[in-house]
Amino acid sequence: MGTKERKEREREELSGLILAAAREIFLEKGYEQTSIRNIADRIEYSPGTIYLYYKDKDSIFHALQQEGFSRFGQQMMVLQAVADPYERLKAMGRVYLKFAKENPDYYDLMFVIRAPMKVLDDEECWNEGQNSFNFLVSVVAECKEHGRFACCDPEELAYVIWSTLHGMVTLDIRGRCRVVSDEKREDIEERGFKALLHLLSHI
Amino acid sequence: MGTKERKEREREELSGLILAAAREIFLEKGYEQTSIRNIADRIEYSPGTIYLYYKDKDSIFHALQQEGFSRFGQQMMVLQAVADPYERLKAMGRVYLKFAKENPDYYDLMFVIRAPMKVLDDEECWNEGQNSFNFLVSVVAECKEHGRFACCDPEELAYVIWSTLHGMVTLDIRGRCRVVSDEKREDIEERGFKALLHLLSHI
DNA sequence: TTGATTTACTAAACAGTGTTCAGTATGTTT
DNA sequence: AAACATACTGAACACTGTTTAGTAAATCAA
């Protein structure tokens, strides 16, 4: 008899329901407003039930972070169509900035908020981030094989490129971009990205 | 009779005491652990009293942010000794990274945490940040006057440089640097900064 | 089918959070 | 001495994450 299998299926169903509710509230009202009680209310279960499916609040956000990386990965798929490595690198930057602009809350969860990282103990690997970074490093390395960035270490250059884009995005997301003059603020990330490409094209 | 003056002095005294306690707890135990009740306990007043001196919790963190910028400004003083603008720009980057490394909590408050920015309404000016950014822009502009960065807009280039350093610092502070290989992680910011300088020196 | 056991869930409690406000006690002024 | 102003408190309100004793239902064994 398949009662065991059914039970397992039901377990995963509620676990998925909890995550769906968390995602809804998170995307509707943001991180601060996503509480265990809010999630419980939405699925009409008691708060305690949530702890039968997730260790704590942080692990719910870790699950949402993984969803974010999944979306992110899908968006990056378009890069497979770009043959030239340097063109692929440029397209990658644009996809990165587009993802951040369209999913600022997911971006925050993936790269800024501490909560989802707390479930990883000190030296445990952060797989999702690692894969994304490795991919960037590999693209930079390919550029190098094609003659670009001859004097640079791929990992170091990847890190600098990532830092620049991440810096632009977080200055925006966390409200620090108002220091930029009015006429440039609206498209400052686009301007910044072009300036970065300009720098990269001269080495 | 100077009762009015004395009262005012006493007001500022307690206001300063609250801020000092907030600073202590913030630097000892971090942002999350700095609560109104913790502050009240430390100065042996009731929680309600704090609201007679500060509008809300955010405005306390805004005051702490200003302190952060004050420290930051003092550290930047050493740049007055650097005559050549490009050397000054390089020294500025090093001071920036040094400040972030030595005062990660202040840095977080100044450039990442949302709370202290909430006291500024939507289009109100963020003076502390504005002054710092303007200073960076002016140094880049001076470089340009000395023949460097000929093809770049000073504000845009200042923004890119700031973004790169800010990105490196926040990836570190918010625990996203573990993707960098072990052998480079320890001094990855130094390596990244050198790579940035390398980029800047080729345009 | 009955009794034992496991599973799934809830309600309540604990300890904490920011914030407000009626009441009090002290200091100042008339 | 009475009136008023100021400074502060303590309790309350509405939240937060998390734990746990208790319950009701489902499953299993005899």
Side-chain angles (χ1 to χ4, degrees), chain A residues 1 3 6 35-37 51 56-57:
Chain A
M1 54 186 92
T3 55
R6 198 201 61 206
S35 72
I36 298 289
R37 279 177 180 80
Y51 288 89
D56 54 23
K57 204 192 167 190

Side-chain angles (χ1 to χ4, degrees), chain A residues 54-89:
Chain A
Y54 292 91
K55 192 188 151 286
D56 54 23
K57 204 192 167 190
D58 291 343
S59 73
I60 295 178
F61 284 111
H62 179 71
L64 285 180
Q65 192 198 60
Q66 286 179 309
E67 285 194 355
F69 271 101
S70 172
R71 278 182 182 232
F72 184 68
Q74 281 174 258
Q75 304 236 44
M76 286 290 174
M77 290 289 199
V78 302
L79 301 179
Q80 291 177 333
V82 187
D84 177 68
Y86 187 60
E87 289 302 318
R88 191 151 72 251
L89 181 66

Side-chain angles (χ1 to χ4, degrees), chain B residues 11-140:
Chain B
R11 246 199 96 72
E12 277 173 25
E13 244 170 61
L14 187 41
S15 158
L17 222 65
I18 291 168
L19 201 61
R23 177 175 51 244
E24 277 178 32
I25 298 171
F26 174 68
L27 294 178
E28 277 172 26
K29 313 194 177 168
Y31 175 73
E32 303 286 337
Q33 289 300 312
T34 310
S35 71
I36 298 290
R37 279 177 178 80
N38 280 342
I39 298 169
D41 278 359
R42 185 160 301 211
I43 57 174
E44 294 176 295
Y45 279 83
S46 92
T49 303
I50 291 179
Y51 288 88
L52 302 169
Y53 294 84
Y54 292 90
K55 190 190 154 285
D56 54 22
K57 204 192 167 190
D58 291 343
S59 72
I60 294 177
F61 283 111
H62 179 73
L64 285 181
Q65 194 198 58
Q66 288 180 308
E67 285 193 355
F69 272 101
S70 172
R71 277 182 184 231
F72 183 68
Q74 282 173 257
Q75 304 236 41
M76 286 291 172
M77 290 289 200
V78 300
L79 301 180
Q80 290 176 332
V82 186
D84 177 67
Y86 187 61
E87 289 302 318
R88 191 150 73 250
L89 181 66
K90 290 198 281 187
M92 203 173 167
R94 290 226 136 76
V95 171
Y96 191 95
L97 293 177
K98 185 164 174 282
F99 177 85
K101 188 138 234 109
E102 288 173 355
N103 311 277
D105 292 302
Y106 268 122
Y107 188 93
D108 219 34
L109 207 52
M110 290 158 73
F111 298 115
V112 184
I113 293 172
R114 287 202 172 95
M117 305 303 278
K118 286 191 204 147
V119 306
L120 280 55
D121 35 38
D122 262 9
E123 282 310 302
E124 194 183 333
C125 187
W126 178 39
N127 277 312
E128 298 77 34
Q130 190 70 64
N131 292 339
S132 297
F133 183 63
N134 287 349
F135 181 51
L136 174 59
V137 174
S138 74
V139 175
V140 173

Side-chain angles (χ1 to χ4, degrees), chain A:
Chain A
M1 54 186 92
T3 55
K4 203 173 171 184
E5 286 78 1
R6 198 201 61 206
K7 287 271 168 186
E8 210 167 289
R9 216 167 49 235
E10 283 175 354
R11 246 199 98 72
E12 276 172 27
E13 242 170 62
L14 187 42
S15 158
L17 222 66
I18 292 169
L19 200 60
R23 178 175 50 245
E24 277 177 33
I25 298 171
F26 174 68
L27 294 177
E28 276 172 28
K29 314 195 176 167
Y31 176 73
E32 303 285 338
Q33 290 301 312
T34 309
S35 72
I36 298 289
R37 279 177 180 80
N38 281 343
I39 298 169
D41 279 358
R42 184 161 299 213
I43 56 174
E44 294 174 295
Y45 279 83
S46 89
T49 302
I50 292 181
Y51 288 89
L52 301 170
Y53 294 84
Y54 292 91
K55 192 188 151 286
D56 54 23
K57 204 192 167 190
D58 291 343
S59 73
I60 295 178
F61 284 111
H62 179 71
L64 285 180
Q65 192 198 60
Q66 286 179 309
E67 285 194 355
F69 271 101
S70 172
R71 278 182 182 232
F72 184 68
Q74 281 174 258
Q75 304 236 44
M76 286 290 174
M77 290 289 199
V78 302
L79 301 179
Q80 291 177 333
V82 187
D84 177 68
Y86 187 60
E87 289 302 318
R88 191 151 72 251
L89 181 66
K90 289 198 281 186
M92 204 172 167
R94 291 224 135 77
V95 170
Y96 190 94
L97 293 177
K98 185 164 175 283
F99 177 84
K101 188 139 235 109
E102 288 174 356
N103 312 277
D105 292 302
Y106 269 123
Y107 189 94
D108 220 33
L109 206 54
M110 290 157 72
F111 299 115
V112 185
I113 293 172
R114 288 201 171 95
M117 305 302 278
K118 285 190 205 146
V119 307
L120 281 54
D121 37 36
D122 262 8
E123 282 309 302
E124 194 183 333
C125 188
W126 178 40
N127 277 313
E128 298 77 34
Q130 190 69 65
N131 291 339
S132 298
F133 183 63
N134 287 351
F135 181 51
L136 174 60
V137 175
S138 75
V139 175
V140 172
E142 267 192 85
C143 287
K144 191 166 167 139
E145 283 163 25
H146 277 66
R148 283 203 180 255
F149 314 147
C151 52
C152 294
D153 175 77
E155 190 180 6
E156 288 177 19
L157 189 55
Y159 166 74
V160 170
I161 294 169
W162 181 30
S163 293
T164 308
L165 300 188
H166 174 69
M168 297 197 301
V169 169
T170 50
L171 286 175
D172 182 25
I173 283 180
R174 296 305 185 104
R176 264 70 174 189
C177 262
R178 55 178 105 195
V179 299
V180 175
S181 65
D182 290 348
E183 85 232 61
K184 286 174 189 149
R185 188 156 59 245
E186 201 207 6
D187 63 337
I188 187 62
E189 277 158 74
E190 177 60 27
R191 287 167 185 266
F193 184 61
K194 281 194 176 125
L196 175 64
L197 292 182
H198 184 76
L199 291 183
L200 290 174
S201 66
H202 282 73
I203 54 166

Side-chain angles (χ1 to χ4, degrees), chain B residues 132-178:
Chain B
S132 297
F133 183 63
N134 287 349
F135 181 51
L136 174 59
V137 174
S138 74
V139 175
V140 173
E142 267 191 85
C143 288
K144 189 167 169 139
E145 283 162 27
H146 277 67
R148 285 207 178 251
F149 313 145
C151 51
C152 294
D153 175 77
E155 191 180 7
E156 288 176 20
L157 188 56
Y159 166 74
V160 170
I161 295 170
W162 182 29
S163 292
T164 308
L165 300 187
H166 174 68
M168 296 195 302
V169 170
T170 51
L171 285 176
D172 183 26
I173 283 180
R174 296 305 185 104
R176 265 72 174 186
C177 264
R178 54 178 104 194

